[in-house]
Amino acid sequence: MLLWVAVDLLAIYFGLDVLINLLFLVIFLWVFRRSRSEPVPTVVPGGDPGIAVLVPAFDEAATVVESVRSLLALDYPRFEVIVINDGSRDSTLAKLRQAFELRTEATEYFDLLGTAPVRAVFRSASDRRLRVVDKPNSGKADSLNVGLALTAMPLVVTIDSDSLLASSALSRLAGLFRGRNAAAAGGLITAANGARVKDGQVTAAQLPRRALLMFQLIEYLVSYTVGRIALSAAGSLMVLSGAFTMFDRELLLACGGFLTRRNRHQYIRRISRGRPAGTVCEDMEVIVRLHRYLKENRLRRPIVFDPWPVAWTEVPARLGQLARQRNRWQRGLLESLFFHRAMWFEPGYGAAGLLGMAYQVVFVAFAPVMQLLGLGLLVWLAAAGEVSPWWLAGVLVAAVLAGGVITALVTTAVERRFARSSAVNVEAMRYRSFGDWLRLVGYSMASGPVYGPLRTAFQLWGIWDWARGQKSWYKFERGGFGSETS
């Protein structure tokens, strides 16, 4: 009796998961159908607010110069780039010195949040918009807090030092702050592996040859894009990528900046009850905390995802690198959710608490455990002769076909809408022919039985490490833009 109750509960869980993802797909298609070729104005009405692009860099010698060149080539009237060298052990700082003619600048640093000391600040002699900060290694979140304290620009963008932005990316996101009074906004992330880069700009991109990169490209396209558009439309988006997110600087400082154990901001101290706290995924935690701050202070400012501005970022090309990355993401998710557990299913936090946090807790954070339980139960039932092998085969085939159909719908919808608005996004989509599209769909059908179990295993490893208090960053080595074998 208890066995079949467990089967029924798991069936309800997975049924709800499927229904939620189908709902996400419907919302995604609805948003794209409603949108016009230019859903957000690239010219910001009322003047262009200044933007500071913050680039933490730790051992990023392979990509940092191309990334900075890309940033300096952005099409926006008033911005600065601040690279924070986080105690790199390689030639990151030396390469920046050589490429951009850095000169020491007499700048007094005022610590606003509680950060590691700043050793030196440099200004580029070849482009005055570039500053480079040198400091001891203290983590990405601490480096971002240093950048927040150094700039006076009203908007700040966080970006990884291995990322490249489309030239219009800043204008697109800045439009959301003027047009919708956004608190934070993020753009589309796609894999840079295999892309051709010249003078900091992606000049050509094609589908990766390696299966692991293809699986990740599909994951970014389907899971992240569709889910974030849907959750953004529902006002419950709890995750934006640290590889490309824009914030209102004043609001970000008001809620405490980025979470570190050094951070002494009064809001951080209040919600942590005076205990030092940190996370290995500062990009998720800060979005959850921003939702919390907005609701507690009754500020009606949305946190949105816009798929038109594009950032290319290098993704893991080796299985071990991917395993360590997904381990860290899962630990960071759990750290963020439990740090803000006061928001779980809490009506006072609106859609963020009732939908956003509920979805992250039930269908993301602990989904790997449910998948393991479900698989184990099915295997046990099959071994005990309680279910037919043909039934199990039918379930597997249905799951594989569902993945292929969803990817086919998503790629078709995105390609049609992007083709009308931005050649950059078509480039990010990678496919230019019916054969490329079939290859995407074919890999998506293989993603469930091949890539899905691997990802679940890495996430389970992350849950185990979180449970035993592991805090390692697990950084993977970059191969440089254009490489598929980092």
Side-chain angles (χ1 to χ4, degrees):
M1 180 66 180
L2 289 177
L3 173 64
W4 291 107
V5 169
V7 171
D8 290 340
L9 290 175
L10 284 170
I12 291 171
Y13 174 86
F14 288 112
L16 286 172
D17 190 30
V18 171
L19 288 175
I20 287 172
N21 282 286
L22 287 174
L23 178 62
F24 283 177
L25 179 61
V26 170
I27 295 174
F28 164 81
L29 294 172
W30 175 72
V31 168
F32 266 87
R33 185 173 180 80
R34 287 182 67 248
S35 64
R36 298 294 183 261
S37 59
E38 291 291 337
V40 178
T42 55
V43 177
V44 183
D48 300 292
I51 298 173
V53 183
L54 309 183
V55 190
F58 174 68
D59 289 355
E60 301 287 1
T63 57
V64 69
V65 172
E66 288 286 0
S67 182
V68 171
R69 283 178 178 156
S70 170
L71 296 174
L72 292 173
L74 291 172
D75 183 16
Y76 194 80
R78 188 163 68 96
F79 72 96
E80 65 175 345
V81 177
I82 302 177
V83 180
I84 305 99
N85 179 47
D86 189 30
S88 296
R89 301 161 300 183
D90 64 2
S91 58
T92 296
L93 184 58
K95 288 197 171 186
L96 288 169
R97 282 178 178 271
Q98 182 179 10
F100 300 105
E101 302 176 39
L102 300 184
R103 304 287 185 267
T104 303
E105 183 177 66
T107 300
E108 188 173 1
Y109 173 66
F110 295 97
D111 186 357
L112 301 179
L113 297 168
T115 67
V118 169
R119 292 171 179 157
V121 178
F122 305 93
R123 176 84 69 172
S124 170
S126 59
D127 193 324
R128 298 288 295 173
R129 296 173 300 171
L130 173 64
R131 285 192 285 174
V132 177
V133 182
D134 187 33
K135 58 181 279 293
N137 178 252
S138 55
K140 181 180 176 181
D142 188 76
S143 297
L144 290 170
N145 284 340
V146 169
L148 270 177
L150 272 175
T151 188
M153 296 292 191
L155 299 179
V156 295
V157 170
T158 62
I159 182 171
D160 290 344
S161 56
D162 64 329
S163 298
L164 300 172
L165 296 184
S167 61
S168 61
L170 294 186
S171 295
R172 298 289 307 181
L173 285 191
L176 293 168
F177 288 79
R178 286 286 189 176
R180 296 182 57 184
N181 196 26
L188 179 71
I189 308 296
T190 190
N193 306 59
R196 295 180 185 175
V197 179
K198 183 179 180 181
D199 298 328
Q201 293 293 306
V202 174
T203 59
Q206 58 189 8
L207 289 177
R209 296 182 300 274
R210 303 187 65 191
L212 188 62
L213 298 178
M214 281 292 296
F215 286 138
Q216 290 178 81
L217 186 66
I218 290 164
E219 181 183 27
Y220 275 63
L221 173 66
V222 179
S223 301
Y224 302 153
T225 305
V226 174
R228 289 179 184 178
I229 286 176
L231 290 168
S232 176
S236 53
L237 179 62
M238 312 307 291
V239 181
L240 285 173
S241 174
F244 182 33
T245 301
M246 184 178 288
F247 297 89
D248 180 307
R249 176 179 177 268
E250 183 178 350
L251 191 58
L252 183 56
L253 285 172
C255 76
F258 294 90
L259 185 65
T260 71
R261 298 184 69 84
R262 292 174 179 265
N263 196 318
R264 60 172 185 267
H265 190 275
Q266 60 181 0
Y267 186 69
I268 297 286
R269 291 176 61 85
R270 180 171 72 80
I271 63 177
S272 66
R273 298 181 181 179
R275 295 189 294 268
T279 176
V280 295
C281 282
E282 79 297 324
D283 48 358
M284 178 183 180
E285 189 282 327
V286 73
I287 297 298
V288 177
R289 177 158 36 90
L290 192 51
H291 271 292
R292 185 173 183 173
Y293 181 85
L294 291 169
K295 291 298 181 183
E296 289 176 354
N297 290 275
R298 299 182 180 180
L299 300 174
R300 299 177 64 86
R301 301 188 61 181
I303 295 173
V304 298
F305 173 80
D306 179 11
W308 269 261
V310 180
W312 285 268
T313 190
E314 192 175 352
V315 301
R318 297 176 183 172
L319 197 60
Q321 296 172 340
L322 180 66
R324 291 189 291 273
Q325 182 196 63
R326 298 314 167 91
N327 173 302
R328 179 175 65 83
W329 286 6
Q330 197 70 20
R331 285 185 287 125
L333 170 65
L334 289 162
E335 288 170 351
S336 300
L337 291 176
F338 275 86
F339 184 67
H340 295 284
R341 56 190 176 273
M343 295 178 66
W344 291 16
F345 315 107
E346 175 55 55
Y349 291 104
L354 286 174
L355 177 58
M357 290 296 275
Y359 173 75
Q360 293 294 331
V361 171
V362 178
F363 293 104
V364 181
F366 293 109
V369 175
M370 300 303 292
Q371 290 166 5
L372 181 65
L373 290 174
L375 179 62
L377 189 57
L378 285 176
V379 170
W380 189 90
L381 289 173
E386 297 287 341
V387 297
S388 166
W390 291 106
W391 181 82
L392 288 177
V395 170
L396 178 61
V397 171
V400 171
L401 289 176
V405 169
I406 289 175
T407 301
L409 288 171
V410 171
T411 52
T412 302
V414 173
E415 189 274 337
R416 288 187 64 186
R417 304 308 297 185
F418 282 163
R420 299 176 187 177
S421 63
S422 171
V424 171
N425 293 76
V426 174
E427 190 75 34
M429 293 297 297
R430 305 300 179 92
Y431 61 87
R432 296 173 177 76
S433 67
F434 183 67
D436 286 342
W437 183 80
L438 284 179
R439 188 166 170 235
L440 270 177
V441 174
Y443 268 97
S444 75
M445 295 177 72
S447 178
V450 177
Y451 181 66
L454 289 173
R455 182 177 57 190
T456 298
F458 303 152
Q459 292 169 331
L460 287 168
W461 178 30
I463 292 172
W464 170 253
D465 274 359
W466 165 77
R468 64 194 187 95
Q470 176 63 257
K471 297 293 183 182
S472 299
W473 184 262
Y474 290 154
K475 177 183 174 64
F476 71 90
E477 294 182 5
R478 312 290 183 179
F481 295 116
S483 172
E484 288 195 13
T485 56
S486 60

